[in-house]
Amino acid sequence: MGKPASNIIPSHIAVIMDGNGRWAKSKGLPRSKGHEAGVKSLQEFIKYAGKLGIKYITIYAFSSENWLRPESEVKTLMNLLRKYLKSELKTAQKNEVRYRFIGDLFRLDADIRDLIRDIETLTKDKQGLTLNIALSYGGKDEIVTAARALATEVKEGRLTPDAINEETFASKLLTYPAPYPDLLIRTSGEQRISNFLLWQLAYTEMVFVDTLWPDFSAKDLDFAINEFQNRKRRFGKIED
Ligand code: IPE
Ligand code: IPE
Ligand code: MG
């Protein structure tokens, strides 16, 4: 790794954790083992990101399209989610992570929604890393929901159409008030967004790595941050 052009640590990192199934397959294991290994990898990732001083992490855990996977796979993922939430709830008091969940959470089972509510409440005043977990999340759906919220305010006379601008729109997005991601990392070699944070990624630097998510390590995060530090972010302007 070369010496980076800047030493700015991204304040918000978005992650598409992909490749659990292929990881398992490459080892002759069932997909469920890949997802289990993916959870461990996530827990290590969060610890390391916290040490580096990252303020916001948004992870893609389950997309609105993932509901279309075979019932057995969805069930496996939901059971694993349950287990993960219970274990985080036990340990959350000991660390400084603030958990937030974004997505169409009403599609989740009631007991999972209860766990989510408990963990959000328990950690709401934590001052360390904010961890947004996207579950049953779709970027297009998020934008449509924001548009509907604004339309309702207009209909009820609380807002005029002229007052709708980028800021008012962004304030209705699920990641609000977090800043937009500086860096997006997607693992497993796929180079697409898959309906993640469509609005928020407008000027995000993207790093795609071949590593499968269960193998993602501190070294891979260092690599992605180094890549980020070597990018010139212009935001449409000309460098001075
Ligand atoms: C990512 O791994 C986890 C989820 C989408 C829930 P995949 O399950 O997509 O793994 P691959 O892409 O099939 O290897
Ligand atoms: C994106 O991965 C969703 C998550 C990581 C949760 P997918 O594996 O579902 O994406 P596609 O189907 O390859 O685009
Ligand atoms: Mg995948």
Side-chain angles (χ1 to χ4, degrees):
M1 249 185 311
K3 194 176 159 3
S6 85
N7 56 7
I8 296 169
I9 289 283
S11 117
H12 186 172
I13 301 182
V15 188
I16 303 179
M17 312 182 290
D18 199 11
N20 294 350
R22 278 163 282 169
W23 181 89
K25 194 171 177 203
S26 75
K27 296 187 147 37
L29 298 168
R31 290 180 63 86
S32 59
K33 292 289 171 200
H35 295 311
E36 277 174 28
V39 172
K40 286 209 188 87
S41 186
L42 169 64
Q43 289 167 324
E44 291 302 315
F45 170 74
I46 298 304
K47 261 191 236 156
Y48 186 55
K51 268 191 212 148
L52 294 181
I54 313 287
K55 297 306 283 176
Y56 300 89
I57 301 265
T58 301
I59 55 150
Y60 209 5
F62 192 85
S63 73
S64 45
E65 288 73 20
N66 289 152
W67 288 115
L68 302 171
R69 291 187 179 194
E71 207 186 313
S72 60
E73 162 108 354
V74 172
K75 209 170 161 192
T76 299
L77 286 167
M78 290 301 144
N79 283 334
L80 196 58
L81 173 62
R82 242 182 218 104
K83 211 170 127 194
Y84 167 76
L85 292 170
K86 282 181 190 161
S87 111
E88 295 301 288
L89 197 55
K90 271 199 202 124
T91 54
Q93 202 61 277
K94 286 186 292 194
N95 63 47
E96 277 311 308
V97 178
R98 178 164 60 137
Y99 293 74
R100 294 197 57 217
F101 293 82
I102 62 170
D104 187 2
L105 304 178
F106 284 101
R107 292 184 75 179
L108 300 168
D109 286 349
D111 68 306
I112 293 184
R113 292 204 310 269
D114 287 347
L115 286 166
I116 284 175
R117 188 203 50 217
D118 292 349
I119 197 161
E120 280 187 338
T121 309
L122 184 72
T123 63
K124 70 178 181 4
D125 296 321
K126 297 280 186 184
Q127 298 295 317
L129 174 80
T130 295
L131 175 61
N132 295 318
I133 302 185
L135 271 181
S136 185
Y137 171 91
K140 288 192 214 169
D141 186 55
E142 178 186 34
I143 290 171
V144 169
T145 304
R148 192 182 302 124
L150 291 170
T152 305
E153 289 187 16
V154 169
K155 187 178 168 211
E156 292 172 353
R158 286 182 282 134
L159 187 73
T160 63
D162 288 349
I164 298 177
N165 54 34
E166 252 189 70
E167 261 164 51
T168 48
F169 201 98
S171 74
K172 301 294 182 198
L173 296 175
L174 298 170
T175 49
Y176 185 80
Y180 297 142
D182 303 292
L183 168 64
L184 169 80
I185 302 169
R186 182 170 187 152
T187 58
S188 87
E190 309 297 351
Q191 303 194 357
R192 55 175 170 261
I193 300 302
S194 302
N195 203 14
F196 192 40
L197 303 176
L198 297 181
W199 173 293
Q200 295 89 332
L201 295 178
Y203 267 104
T204 299
E205 296 298 329
M206 303 192 182
V207 173
F208 299 99
V209 296
D210 288 337
T211 312
L212 302 172
W213 178 253
D215 289 330
F216 193 87
S217 66
K219 191 168 74 25
D220 295 288
L221 181 55
D222 287 341
F223 169 82
I225 292 176
N226 186 271
E227 277 287 305
F228 170 82
Q229 291 175 332
N230 280 301
R231 303 269 175 97
K232 289 214 161 51
R233 303 185 81 187
R234 283 185 286 272
F235 300 97
K237 299 172 200 158
I238 290 173
E239 273 173 77
D240 43 34

